[in-house]
PDB file of all heavy atoms in Angstrom:
ATOM      1  N   SER A  53      10.546 -26.338 -58.180  1.00 97.00           N
ATOM      2  CA  SER A  53      11.925 -26.322 -58.649  1.00 97.00           C
ATOM      3  C   SER A  53      12.597 -27.671 -58.422  1.00 97.00           C
ATOM      4  O   SER A  53      12.435 -28.286 -57.365  1.00 97.00           O
ATOM      5  CB  SER A  53      12.735 -25.246 -57.923  1.00 97.00           C
ATOM      6  OG  SER A  53      12.321 -23.953 -58.321  1.00 97.00           O
ATOM      7  N   SER A  54      13.369 -28.110 -59.424  1.00 96.00           N
ATOM      8  CA  SER A  54      14.185 -29.304 -59.273  1.00 96.00           C
ATOM      9  C   SER A  54      15.479 -28.932 -58.559  1.00 96.00           C
ATOM     10  O   SER A  54      15.635 -27.807 -58.074  1.00 96.00           O
ATOM     11  CB  SER A  54      14.483 -29.919 -60.642  1.00 96.00           C
ATOM     12  OG  SER A  54      15.388 -29.098 -61.369  1.00 96.00           O
ATOM     13  N   SER A  55      16.423 -29.869 -58.527  1.00 96.00           N
ATOM     14  CA  SER A  55      17.686 -29.624 -57.821  1.00 96.00           C
ATOM     15  C   SER A  55      18.754 -28.964 -58.688  1.00 96.00           C
ATOM     16  O   SER A  55      19.874 -28.743 -58.235  1.00 96.00           O
ATOM     17  CB  SER A  55      18.233 -30.950 -57.273  1.00 96.00           C
ATOM     18  OG  SER A  55      18.464 -31.867 -58.333  1.00 96.00           O
ATOM     19  N   LEU A  56      18.426 -28.629 -59.939  1.00 96.00           N
ATOM     20  CA  LEU A  56      19.421 -28.028 -60.829  1.00 96.00           C
ATOM     21  C   LEU A  56      19.812 -26.629 -60.350  1.00 96.00           C
ATOM     22  O   LEU A  56      18.954 -25.820 -60.008  1.00 96.00           O
ATOM     23  CB  LEU A  56      18.870 -27.930 -62.262  1.00 96.00           C
ATOM     24  CG  LEU A  56      18.670 -29.240 -63.033  1.00 96.00           C
ATOM     25  CD1 LEU A  56      18.170 -28.944 -64.439  1.00 96.00           C
ATOM     26  CD2 LEU A  56      19.973 -30.032 -63.086  1.00 96.00           C
ATOM     27  N   VAL A  57      21.117 -26.360 -60.360  1.00 96.00           N
ATOM     28  CA  VAL A  57      21.629 -25.037 -59.952  1.00 96.00           C
ATOM     29  C   VAL A  57      22.700 -24.618 -60.956  1.00 96.00           C
ATOM     30  O   VAL A  57      23.798 -25.182 -60.974  1.00 96.00           O
ATOM     31  CB  VAL A  57      22.225 -25.066 -58.541  1.00 96.00           C
ATOM     32  CG1 VAL A  57      22.732 -23.673 -58.160  1.00 96.00           C
ATOM     33  CG2 VAL A  57      21.206 -25.557 -57.526  1.00 96.00           C
ATOM     34  N   PRO A  58      22.439 -23.615 -61.790  1.00 97.00           N
ATOM     35  CA  PRO A  58      23.447 -23.143 -62.749  1.00 97.00           C
ATOM     36  C   PRO A  58      24.480 -22.269 -62.050  1.00 97.00           C
ATOM     37  O   PRO A  58      24.248 -21.748 -60.953  1.00 97.00           O
ATOM     38  CB  PRO A  58      22.619 -22.330 -63.740  1.00 97.00           C
ATOM     39  CG  PRO A  58      21.504 -21.785 -62.898  1.00 97.00           C
ATOM     40  CD  PRO A  58      21.172 -22.869 -61.905  1.00 97.00           C
ATOM     41  N   ASP A  59      25.611 -22.080 -62.694  1.00 96.00           N
ATOM     42  CA  ASP A  59      26.660 -21.207 -62.179  1.00 96.00           C
ATOM     43  C   ASP A  59      26.382 -19.777 -62.640  1.00 96.00           C
ATOM     44  O   ASP A  59      26.448 -19.473 -63.828  1.00 96.00           O
ATOM     45  CB  ASP A  59      28.023 -21.679 -62.694  1.00 96.00           C
ATOM     46  CG  ASP A  59      29.175 -20.833 -62.159  1.00 96.00           C
ATOM     47  OD1 ASP A  59      28.921 -19.977 -61.289  1.00 96.00           O
ATOM     48  OD2 ASP A  59      30.314 -21.034 -62.631  1.00 96.00           O
ATOM     49  N   VAL A  60      26.042 -18.911 -61.704  1.00 96.00           N
ATOM     50  CA  VAL A  60      25.704 -17.524 -62.054  1.00 96.00           C
ATOM     51  C   VAL A  60      26.842 -16.568 -61.736  1.00 96.00           C
ATOM     52  O   VAL A  60      26.710 -15.359 -61.944  1.00 96.00           O
ATOM     53  CB  VAL A  60      24.424 -17.073 -61.322  1.00 96.00           C
ATOM     54  CG1 VAL A  60      23.252 -17.965 -61.694  1.00 96.00           C
ATOM     55  CG2 VAL A  60      24.632 -17.077 -59.805  1.00 96.00           C
ATOM     56  N   SER A  61      27.959 -17.083 -61.255  1.00 93.00           N
ATOM     57  CA  SER A  61      29.092 -16.210 -60.924  1.00 93.00           C
ATOM     58  C   SER A  61      29.644 -15.569 -62.199  1.00 93.00           C
ATOM     59  O   SER A  61      29.764 -16.206 -63.234  1.00 93.00           O
ATOM     60  CB  SER A  61      30.199 -17.014 -60.238  1.00 93.00           C
ATOM     61  OG  SER A  61      30.679 -18.034 -61.084  1.00 93.00           O
ATOM     62  N   GLY A  62      29.937 -14.300 -62.110  1.00 89.00           N
ATOM     63  CA  GLY A  62      30.493 -13.589 -63.257  1.00 89.00           C
ATOM     64  C   GLY A  62      29.453 -13.054 -64.222  1.00 89.00           C
ATOM     65  O   GLY A  62      29.809 -12.382 -65.201  1.00 89.00           O
ATOM     66  N   LEU A  63      28.188 -13.333 -63.992  1.00 93.00           N
ATOM     67  CA  LEU A  63      27.134 -12.832 -64.877  1.00 93.00           C
ATOM     68  C   LEU A  63      26.670 -11.464 -64.396  1.00 93.00           C
ATOM     69  O   LEU A  63      26.428 -11.262 -63.209  1.00 93.00           O
ATOM     70  CB  LEU A  63      25.944 -13.791 -64.905  1.00 93.00           C
ATOM     71  CG  LEU A  63      26.195 -15.201 -65.445  1.00 93.00           C
ATOM     72  CD1 LEU A  63      24.911 -16.032 -65.356  1.00 93.00           C
ATOM     73  CD2 LEU A  63      26.691 -15.147 -66.879  1.00 93.00           C
ATOM     74  N   SER A  64      26.507 -10.549 -65.335  1.00 94.00           N
ATOM     75  CA  SER A  64      26.013  -9.217 -64.981  1.00 94.00           C
ATOM     76  C   SER A  64      24.538  -9.294 -64.625  1.00 94.00           C
ATOM     77  O   SER A  64      23.845 -10.273 -64.946  1.00 94.00           O
ATOM     78  CB  SER A  64      26.203  -8.256 -66.150  1.00 94.00           C
ATOM     79  OG  SER A  64      25.363  -8.616 -67.243  1.00 94.00           O
ATOM     80  N   ALA A  65      24.054  -8.230 -63.975  1.00 94.00           N
ATOM     81  CA  ALA A  65      22.639  -8.175 -63.601  1.00 94.00           C
ATOM     82  C   ALA A  65      21.755  -8.220 -64.840  1.00 94.00           C
ATOM     83  O   ALA A  65      20.701  -8.854 -64.841  1.00 94.00           O
ATOM     84  CB  ALA A  65      22.361  -6.904 -62.792  1.00 94.00           C
ATOM     85  N   GLU A  66      22.203  -7.556 -65.910  1.00 93.00           N
ATOM     86  CA  GLU A  66      21.431  -7.542 -67.153  1.00 93.00           C
ATOM     87  C   GLU A  66      21.350  -8.936 -67.773  1.00 93.00           C
ATOM     88  O   GLU A  66      20.285  -9.366 -68.220  1.00 93.00           O
ATOM     89  CB  GLU A  66      22.066  -6.571 -68.144  1.00 93.00           C
ATOM     90  CG  GLU A  66      21.315  -6.459 -69.463  1.00 93.00           C
ATOM     91  CD  GLU A  66      21.987  -5.505 -70.433  1.00 93.00           C
ATOM     92  OE1 GLU A  66      23.121  -5.065 -70.152  1.00 93.00           O
ATOM     93  OE2 GLU A  66      21.382  -5.198 -71.479  1.00 93.00           O
ATOM     94  N   THR A  67      22.464  -9.651 -67.777  1.00 94.00           N
ATOM     95  CA  THR A  67      22.477 -10.998 -68.344  1.00 94.00           C
ATOM     96  C   THR A  67      21.619 -11.940 -67.511  1.00 94.00           C
ATOM     97  O   THR A  67      20.858 -12.747 -68.048  1.00 94.00           O
ATOM     98  CB  THR A  67      23.917 -11.534 -68.423  1.00 94.00           C
ATOM     99  OG1 THR A  67      24.682 -10.684 -69.278  1.00 94.00           O
ATOM    100  CG2 THR A  67      23.941 -12.949 -68.960  1.00 94.00           C
ATOM    101  N   ARG A  68      21.736 -11.832 -66.208  1.00 95.00           N
ATOM    102  CA  ARG A  68      20.924 -12.692 -65.334  1.00 95.00           C
ATOM    103  C   ARG A  68      19.435 -12.421 -65.529  1.00 95.00           C
ATOM    104  O   ARG A  68      18.623 -13.345 -65.516  1.00 95.00           O
ATOM    105  CB  ARG A  68      21.322 -12.482 -63.869  1.00 95.00           C
ATOM    106  CG  ARG A  68      22.666 -13.081 -63.510  1.00 95.00           C
ATOM    107  CD  ARG A  68      22.981 -12.931 -62.034  1.00 95.00           C
ATOM    108  NE  ARG A  68      21.999 -13.615 -61.186  1.00 95.00           N
ATOM    109  CZ  ARG A  68      22.101 -13.717 -59.866  1.00 95.00           C
ATOM    110  NH1 ARG A  68      23.147 -13.176 -59.237  1.00 95.00           N
ATOM    111  NH2 ARG A  68      21.182 -14.342 -59.168  1.00 95.00           N
ATOM    112  N   ALA A  69      19.076 -11.165 -65.718  1.00 94.00           N
ATOM    113  CA  ALA A  69      17.668 -10.824 -65.931  1.00 94.00           C
ATOM    114  C   ALA A  69      17.165 -11.430 -67.235  1.00 94.00           C
ATOM    115  O   ALA A  69      16.039 -11.952 -67.300  1.00 94.00           O
ATOM    116  CB  ALA A  69      17.488  -9.309 -65.945  1.00 94.00           C
ATOM    117  N   ALA A  70      18.000 -11.371 -68.293  1.00 93.00           N
ATOM    118  CA  ALA A  70      17.605 -11.952 -69.579  1.00 93.00           C
ATOM    119  C   ALA A  70      17.453 -13.458 -69.465  1.00 93.00           C
ATOM    120  O   ALA A  70      16.509 -14.054 -70.010  1.00 93.00           O
ATOM    121  CB  ALA A  70      18.639 -11.595 -70.647  1.00 93.00           C
ATOM    122  N   LEU A  71      18.369 -14.117 -68.756  1.00 95.00           N
ATOM    123  CA  LEU A  71      18.295 -15.571 -68.591  1.00 95.00           C
ATOM    124  C   LEU A  71      17.107 -15.961 -67.716  1.00 95.00           C
ATOM    125  O   LEU A  71      16.434 -16.965 -67.976  1.00 95.00           O
ATOM    126  CB  LEU A  71      19.597 -16.079 -67.969  1.00 95.00           C
ATOM    127  CG  LEU A  71      20.834 -15.989 -68.862  1.00 95.00           C
ATOM    128  CD1 LEU A  71      22.098 -16.293 -68.072  1.00 95.00           C
ATOM    129  CD2 LEU A  71      20.698 -16.938 -70.052  1.00 95.00           C
ATOM    130  N   ALA A  72      16.838 -15.171 -66.686  1.00 96.00           N
ATOM    131  CA  ALA A  72      15.688 -15.452 -65.820  1.00 96.00           C
ATOM    132  C   ALA A  72      14.388 -15.366 -66.613  1.00 96.00           C
ATOM    133  O   ALA A  72      13.501 -16.224 -66.475  1.00 96.00           O
ATOM    134  CB  ALA A  72      15.660 -14.478 -64.646  1.00 96.00           C
ATOM    135  N   ALA A  73      14.278 -14.344 -67.468  1.00 94.00           N
ATOM    136  CA  ALA A  73      13.062 -14.191 -68.275  1.00 94.00           C
ATOM    137  C   ALA A  73      12.913 -15.353 -69.249  1.00 94.00           C
ATOM    138  O   ALA A  73      11.803 -15.878 -69.446  1.00 94.00           O
ATOM    139  CB  ALA A  73      13.119 -12.865 -69.036  1.00 94.00           C
ATOM    140  N   HIS A  74      14.017 -15.752 -69.866  1.00 94.00           N
ATOM    141  CA  HIS A  74      13.988 -16.861 -70.818  1.00 94.00           C
ATOM    142  C   HIS A  74      13.508 -18.148 -70.157  1.00 94.00           C
ATOM    143  O   HIS A  74      12.587 -18.823 -70.642  1.00 94.00           O
ATOM    144  CB  HIS A  74      15.384 -17.061 -71.398  1.00 94.00           C
ATOM    145  CG  HIS A  74      15.555 -18.342 -72.160  1.00 94.00           C
ATOM    146  ND1 HIS A  74      15.315 -18.441 -73.506  1.00 94.00           N
ATOM    147  CD2 HIS A  74      15.921 -19.596 -71.755  1.00 94.00           C
ATOM    148  CE1 HIS A  74      15.531 -19.687 -73.900  1.00 94.00           C
ATOM    149  NE2 HIS A  74      15.898 -20.394 -72.856  1.00 94.00           N
ATOM    150  N   TRP A  75      14.119 -18.512 -69.037  1.00 96.00           N
ATOM    151  CA  TRP A  75      13.777 -19.777 -68.399  1.00 96.00           C
ATOM    152  C   TRP A  75      12.430 -19.716 -67.689  1.00 96.00           C
ATOM    153  O   TRP A  75      11.771 -20.744 -67.513  1.00 96.00           O
ATOM    154  CB  TRP A  75      14.901 -20.188 -67.455  1.00 96.00           C
ATOM    155  CG  TRP A  75      16.077 -20.724 -68.217  1.00 96.00           C
ATOM    156  CD1 TRP A  75      17.270 -20.112 -68.462  1.00 96.00           C
ATOM    157  CD2 TRP A  75      16.128 -21.981 -68.912  1.00 96.00           C
ATOM    158  NE1 TRP A  75      18.067 -20.901 -69.256  1.00 96.00           N
ATOM    159  CE2 TRP A  75      17.399 -22.059 -69.546  1.00 96.00           C
ATOM    160  CE3 TRP A  75      15.237 -23.045 -69.061  1.00 96.00           C
ATOM    161  CZ2 TRP A  75      17.787 -23.163 -70.302  1.00 96.00           C
ATOM    162  CZ3 TRP A  75      15.619 -24.146 -69.812  1.00 96.00           C
ATOM    163  CH2 TRP A  75      16.879 -24.202 -70.423  1.00 96.00           C
ATOM    164  N   LYS A  76      12.003 -18.515 -67.306  1.00 96.00           N
ATOM    165  CA  LYS A  76      10.665 -18.380 -66.733  1.00 96.00           C
ATOM    166  C   LYS A  76       9.605 -18.637 -67.800  1.00 96.00           C
ATOM    167  O   LYS A  76       8.622 -19.352 -67.566  1.00 96.00           O
ATOM    168  CB  LYS A  76      10.491 -16.976 -66.135  1.00 96.00           C
ATOM    169  CG  LYS A  76       9.223 -16.798 -65.312  1.00 96.00           C
ATOM    170  CD  LYS A  76       9.083 -15.367 -64.812  1.00 96.00           C
ATOM    171  CE  LYS A  76      10.267 -14.949 -63.981  1.00 96.00           C
ATOM    172  NZ  LYS A  76      10.112 -13.565 -63.475  1.00 96.00           N
ATOM    173  N   ASP A  77       9.798 -18.061 -69.000  1.00 94.00           N
ATOM    174  CA  ASP A  77       8.885 -18.323 -70.114  1.00 94.00           C
ATOM    175  C   ASP A  77       8.866 -19.816 -70.452  1.00 94.00           C
ATOM    176  O   ASP A  77       7.813 -20.404 -70.693  1.00 94.00           O
ATOM    177  CB  ASP A  77       9.315 -17.532 -71.354  1.00 94.00           C
ATOM    178  CG  ASP A  77       8.966 -16.054 -71.261  1.00 94.00           C
ATOM    179  OD1 ASP A  77       8.147 -15.697 -70.394  1.00 94.00           O
ATOM    180  OD2 ASP A  77       9.518 -15.260 -72.043  1.00 94.00           O
ATOM    181  N   THR A  78      10.056 -20.404 -70.484  1.00 94.00           N
ATOM    182  CA  THR A  78      10.159 -21.824 -70.777  1.00 94.00           C
ATOM    183  C   THR A  78       9.384 -22.641 -69.749  1.00 94.00           C
ATOM    184  O   THR A  78       8.621 -23.550 -70.087  1.00 94.00           O
ATOM    185  CB  THR A  78      11.639 -22.271 -70.770  1.00 94.00           C
ATOM    186  OG1 THR A  78      12.352 -21.543 -71.755  1.00 94.00           O
ATOM    187  CG2 THR A  78      11.765 -23.760 -71.060  1.00 94.00           C
ATOM    188  N   ALA A  79       9.586 -22.312 -68.477  1.00 96.00           N
ATOM    189  CA  ALA A  79       8.939 -23.059 -67.395  1.00 96.00           C
ATOM    190  C   ALA A  79       7.424 -22.981 -67.479  1.00 96.00           C
ATOM    191  O   ALA A  79       6.726 -23.985 -67.302  1.00 96.00           O
ATOM    192  CB  ALA A  79       9.426 -22.517 -66.048  1.00 96.00           C
ATOM    193  N   LEU A  80       6.892 -21.786 -67.766  1.00 95.00           N
ATOM    194  CA  LEU A  80       5.442 -21.630 -67.842  1.00 95.00           C
ATOM    195  C   LEU A  80       4.858 -22.437 -69.002  1.00 95.00           C
ATOM    196  O   LEU A  80       3.777 -23.028 -68.882  1.00 95.00           O
ATOM    197  CB  LEU A  80       5.084 -20.154 -67.992  1.00 95.00           C
ATOM    198  CG  LEU A  80       5.325 -19.289 -66.759  1.00 95.00           C
ATOM    199  CD1 LEU A  80       5.064 -17.821 -67.078  1.00 95.00           C
ATOM    200  CD2 LEU A  80       4.444 -19.742 -65.592  1.00 95.00           C
ATOM    201  N   LEU A  81       5.567 -22.477 -70.121  1.00 93.00           N
ATOM    202  CA  LEU A  81       5.081 -23.239 -71.261  1.00 93.00           C
ATOM    203  C   LEU A  81       5.194 -24.739 -71.018  1.00 93.00           C
ATOM    204  O   LEU A  81       4.311 -25.516 -71.418  1.00 93.00           O
ATOM    205  CB  LEU A  81       5.843 -22.834 -72.517  1.00 93.00           C
ATOM    206  CG  LEU A  81       5.449 -21.450 -73.050  1.00 93.00           C
ATOM    207  CD1 LEU A  81       6.530 -20.885 -73.956  1.00 93.00           C
ATOM    208  CD2 LEU A  81       4.125 -21.521 -73.794  1.00 93.00           C
ATOM    209  N   GLU A  82       6.260 -25.172 -70.350  1.00 94.00           N
ATOM    210  CA  GLU A  82       6.389 -26.587 -70.003  1.00 94.00           C
ATOM    211  C   GLU A  82       5.308 -26.987 -68.994  1.00 94.00           C
ATOM    212  O   GLU A  82       4.747 -28.079 -69.066  1.00 94.00           O
ATOM    213  CB  GLU A  82       7.781 -26.865 -69.430  1.00 94.00           C
ATOM    214  CG  GLU A  82       8.935 -26.637 -70.396  1.00 94.00           C
ATOM    215  CD  GLU A  82       9.062 -27.730 -71.443  1.00 94.00           C
ATOM    216  OE1 GLU A  82       8.133 -28.529 -71.603  1.00 94.00           O
ATOM    217  OE2 GLU A  82      10.114 -27.777 -72.115  1.00 94.00           O
ATOM    218  N   HIS A  83       5.032 -26.110 -68.058  1.00 95.00           N
ATOM    219  CA  HIS A  83       3.965 -26.340 -67.077  1.00 95.00           C
ATOM    220  C   HIS A  83       2.622 -26.498 -67.777  1.00 95.00           C
ATOM    221  O   HIS A  83       1.834 -27.403 -67.479  1.00 95.00           O
ATOM    222  CB  HIS A  83       3.941 -25.153 -66.096  1.00 95.00           C
ATOM    223  CG  HIS A  83       2.761 -25.102 -65.185  1.00 95.00           C
ATOM    224  ND1 HIS A  83       1.662 -24.293 -65.436  1.00 95.00           N
ATOM    225  CD2 HIS A  83       2.486 -25.762 -64.028  1.00 95.00           C
ATOM    226  CE1 HIS A  83       0.790 -24.437 -64.460  1.00 95.00           C
ATOM    227  NE2 HIS A  83       1.249 -25.311 -63.600  1.00 95.00           N
ATOM    228  N   ALA A  84       2.361 -25.641 -68.769  1.00 94.00           N
ATOM    229  CA  ALA A  84       1.116 -25.728 -69.525  1.00 94.00           C
ATOM    230  C   ALA A  84       1.071 -26.982 -70.387  1.00 94.00           C
ATOM    231  O   ALA A  84      -0.023 -27.482 -70.711  1.00 94.00           O
ATOM    232  CB  ALA A  84       0.943 -24.479 -70.390  1.00 94.00           C
ATOM    233  N   SER A  85       2.225 -27.510 -70.752  1.00 94.00           N
ATOM    234  CA  SER A  85       2.264 -28.730 -71.558  1.00 94.00           C
ATOM    235  C   SER A  85       1.660 -29.914 -70.808  1.00 94.00           C
ATOM    236  O   SER A  85       1.122 -30.838 -71.422  1.00 94.00           O
ATOM    237  CB  SER A  85       3.706 -29.064 -71.948  1.00 94.00           C
ATOM    238  OG  SER A  85       4.231 -28.116 -72.847  1.00 94.00           O
ATOM    239  N   VAL A  86       1.751 -29.893 -69.492  1.00 94.00           N
ATOM    240  CA  VAL A  86       1.135 -30.957 -68.701  1.00 94.00           C
ATOM    241  C   VAL A  86      -0.375 -30.964 -68.952  1.00 94.00           C
ATOM    242  O   VAL A  86      -0.995 -32.025 -69.134  1.00 94.00           O
ATOM    243  CB  VAL A  86       1.437 -30.769 -67.203  1.00 94.00           C
ATOM    244  CG1 VAL A  86       0.760 -31.863 -66.375  1.00 94.00           C
ATOM    245  CG2 VAL A  86       2.939 -30.767 -66.950  1.00 94.00           C
ATOM    246  N   ALA A  87      -0.968 -29.773 -68.992  1.00 92.00           N
ATOM    247  CA  ALA A  87      -2.400 -29.665 -69.267  1.00 92.00           C
ATOM    248  C   ALA A  87      -2.724 -30.115 -70.688  1.00 92.00           C
ATOM    249  O   ALA A  87      -3.754 -30.746 -70.939  1.00 92.00           O
ATOM    250  CB  ALA A  87      -2.867 -28.228 -69.049  1.00 92.00           C
ATOM    251  N   ALA A  88      -1.849 -29.771 -71.625  1.00 91.00           N
ATOM    252  CA  ALA A  88      -2.072 -30.169 -73.021  1.00 91.00           C
ATOM    253  C   ALA A  88      -2.108 -31.689 -73.147  1.00 91.00           C
ATOM    254  O   ALA A  88      -2.936 -32.246 -73.874  1.00 91.00           O
ATOM    255  CB  ALA A  88      -0.983 -29.577 -73.914  1.00 91.00           C
ATOM    256  N   PHE A  89      -1.222 -32.373 -72.443  1.00 94.00           N
ATOM    257  CA  PHE A  89      -1.218 -33.833 -72.506  1.00 94.00           C
ATOM    258  C   PHE A  89      -2.397 -34.431 -71.744  1.00 94.00           C
ATOM    259  O   PHE A  89      -2.906 -35.489 -72.118  1.00 94.00           O
ATOM    260  CB  PHE A  89       0.110 -34.389 -71.978  1.00 94.00           C
ATOM    261  CG  PHE A  89       1.163 -34.484 -73.039  1.00 94.00           C
ATOM    262  CD1 PHE A  89       2.285 -33.676 -73.010  1.00 94.00           C
ATOM    263  CD2 PHE A  89       1.037 -35.385 -74.083  1.00 94.00           C
ATOM    264  CE1 PHE A  89       3.255 -33.760 -73.996  1.00 94.00           C
ATOM    265  CE2 PHE A  89       1.994 -35.477 -75.079  1.00 94.00           C
ATOM    266  CZ  PHE A  89       3.106 -34.666 -75.037  1.00 94.00           C
ATOM    267  N   ALA A  90      -2.836 -33.769 -70.676  1.00 93.00           N
ATOM    268  CA  ALA A  90      -4.016 -34.245 -69.967  1.00 93.00           C
ATOM    269  C   ALA A  90      -5.239 -34.184 -70.886  1.00 93.00           C
ATOM    270  O   ALA A  90      -6.062 -35.111 -70.924  1.00 93.00           O
ATOM    271  CB  ALA A  90      -4.248 -33.398 -68.712  1.00 93.00           C
ATOM    272  N   ARG A  91      -5.351 -33.099 -71.636  1.00 91.00           N
ATOM    273  CA  ARG A  91      -6.453 -32.984 -72.605  1.00 91.00           C
ATOM    274  C   ARG A  91      -6.314 -34.022 -73.716  1.00 91.00           C
ATOM    275  O   ARG A  91      -7.309 -34.606 -74.167  1.00 91.00           O
ATOM    276  CB  ARG A  91      -6.468 -31.570 -73.201  1.00 91.00           C
ATOM    277  CG  ARG A  91      -7.573 -31.360 -74.235  1.00 91.00           C
ATOM    278  CD  ARG A  91      -7.609 -29.932 -74.718  1.00 91.00           C
ATOM    279  NE  ARG A  91      -6.352 -29.530 -75.336  1.00 91.00           N
ATOM    280  CZ  ARG A  91      -6.081 -28.266 -75.697  1.00 91.00           C
ATOM    281  NH1 ARG A  91      -6.963 -27.310 -75.479  1.00 91.00           N
ATOM    282  NH2 ARG A  91      -4.938 -27.975 -76.271  1.00 91.00           N
TER     283      ARG A  91
END
C-alpha cells in the first residue's frame, strides 16, 4: 500500500464494499501489469 488515504466518512457499508471491490480488482490487474512488462 502507498500513502494514499481516501475520505470514507459518510459512506455506507454497501458503498464502501463496492469501492473496495473495485479498487481491489484494479490493484490486482495493475500488479499483474508488472509481470506483463517483465515479459
Side-chain angles (χ1 to χ4, degrees):
S53 290
S54 71
S55 60
L56 291 182
V57 180
D59 182 7
V60 300
S61 61
L63 297 178
S64 67
E66 181 181 9
T67 299
R68 287 184 61 175
L71 291 170
H74 168 90
W75 284 105
K76 190 183 302 181
D77 284 345
T78 300
L80 290 174
L81 287 160
E82 296 285 14
H83 169 261
S85 292
V86 179
F89 273 112
R91 179 176 60 188

